[in-house]
């Protein structure tokens, strides 16, 4: 089978051969879609853009637990100025791996966002239903601005009316794990993003 690896990724066995992610990734991924060094360099580019756009402003980063944990940690550390960081935990009811857009807040922000410049930091946008709900929810609180940064974006999200200002990578419509993204709460600690071997993707 011919695999497209447009992000400089590699097959899991190639990764294993190089000793990359071998213990963590080699056994559960069919492909390393985006290796750790590509994620790091892309987040550096996004951080430079964000630093330019928000120069002289007081930025509040809002992360969505738990998936955004890695993006938040690395993106925020790549910024050249101090920011405030806050978290929301939301659960979107859905069947299996698809979300429904019906969202419940499990943990709300500690910060008051009124009058603030808010940048939502997300791991991945798939249907975009979760994000649409979140942006509308934040906008109802009277912030000065709300923008979105997502590491990954799937094709369906392109049809969204919610504007995503900063996108790391546009990826194919496959289920991916690693770098914060889970399947059944596992694999978040992989340092790369990869496609899960179907043998591990069962319910
Ligand atoms: P959406 O509402 O369909 O955009 O779903 C967004 C949320 O679904 C993300 O924040 C993830 O938590 C989860 N999700 C979507 N696609 C994937 C995937 O490929 N792997 C892991 N989680 C995913
Ligand atoms: Mg998420």
């Amino acid at each position: 089978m011919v695999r497209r690896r447009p992000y400089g990724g590699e097959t899991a066995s190639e990764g294993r051969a190089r000793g990359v992610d071998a213990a963590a990734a080699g056994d559960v991924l069919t492909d390393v879609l985006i290796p750790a060094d590509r994620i790091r360099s892309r987040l550096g580019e996004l951080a430079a853009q964000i630093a330019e756009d928000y120069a002289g402003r007081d930025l509040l980063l809002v992360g969505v637990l738990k998936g955004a944990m890695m993006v938040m940690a690395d993106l925020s550390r790549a910024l050249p100025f101090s920011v405030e960081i806050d978290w929301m935990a939301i659960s979107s009811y859905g069947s299996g791996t698809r979300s429904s857009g019906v969202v419940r807040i499990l943990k709300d922000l500690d910060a008051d966002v009124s009058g603030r410049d808010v940048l939502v930091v997300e791991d991945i946008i798939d249907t975009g239903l979760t994000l649409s709900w979140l942006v509308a929810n934040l906008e109802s609180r009277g912030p000065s601005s709300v923008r979105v940064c997502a590491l990954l974006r799937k094709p369906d999200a392109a049809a969204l009316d919610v504007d995503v200002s900063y996108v790391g990578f546009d990826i194919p419509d496959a289920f991916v794990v690693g770098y914060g993204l889970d399947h059944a709460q596992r694999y978040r600690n992989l340092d790369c993003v990869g496609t899960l071997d179907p043998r591990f993707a069962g319910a």
Side-chain angles (χ1 to χ4, degrees):
M1 178 161 103
V2 178
R3 299 182 194 281
R4 291 192 323 120
R5 281 165 272 151
Y7 314 101
E10 57 194 7
T11 63
S13 60
E14 283 166 356
R16 250 194 319 273
R18 287 204 300 128
V20 174
D21 304 320
D27 296 334
V28 296
L29 300 181
T30 50
D31 278 298
V32 175
L33 198 60
I34 313 173
D37 56 339
R38 289 285 294 120
I39 298 174
R40 190 169 313 111
S41 62
R42 183 68 184 126
L43 287 179
E45 291 170 1
L46 293 182
Q49 187 62 57
I50 291 166
E52 197 181 312
D53 295 351
Y54 289 91
R57 288 156 67 188
D58 182 23
L59 185 58
L60 171 65
L61 300 182
V62 170
V64 183
L65 292 170
K66 305 169 188 165
M69 56 190 268
M70 302 294 185
V71 192
M72 180 67 91
D74 288 340
L75 180 75
S76 64
R77 282 182 295 178
L79 290 170
F81 45 67
S82 164
V83 293
E84 193 178 335
I85 297 176
D86 204 351
W87 298 93
M88 278 180 86
I90 57 185
S91 118
S92 109
Y93 294 104
S95 56
T97 56
R98 302 299 286 190
S99 68
S100 64
V102 182
V103 175
R104 187 165 56 108
I105 297 180
L106 302 177
K107 184 224 168 283
D108 206 344
L109 296 174
D110 296 324
D112 178 358
V113 306
S114 67
R116 303 290 306 270
D117 287 310
V118 178
L119 180 62
V120 175
V121 175
E122 258 286 31
D123 49 1
I124 189 167
I125 306 169
D126 181 4
T127 63
L129 290 169
T130 308
L131 183 71
S132 303
W133 179 90
L134 183 63
V135 167
N137 181 284
L138 291 172
E139 270 170 352
S140 74
R141 306 181 192 201
S144 168
S145 68
V146 180
R147 282 188 182 177
V148 178
C149 174
L151 179 68
L152 306 171
R153 181 170 62 180
K154 289 190 187 176
D156 282 354
L160 263 188
D161 52 354
V162 173
D163 196 33
V164 185
S165 300
Y166 310 95
V167 178
F169 302 92
D170 280 298
I171 63 166
D173 192 14
F175 193 80
V176 293
V177 295
Y179 201 75
L181 289 154
D182 73 305
H183 177 266
Q185 301 302 328
R186 298 193 69 87
Y187 316 119
R188 293 191 199 275
N189 60 316
L190 297 177
D191 66 358
C192 59
V193 170
T195 45
L196 190 62
D197 187 319
R199 286 180 298 140
F200 296 88

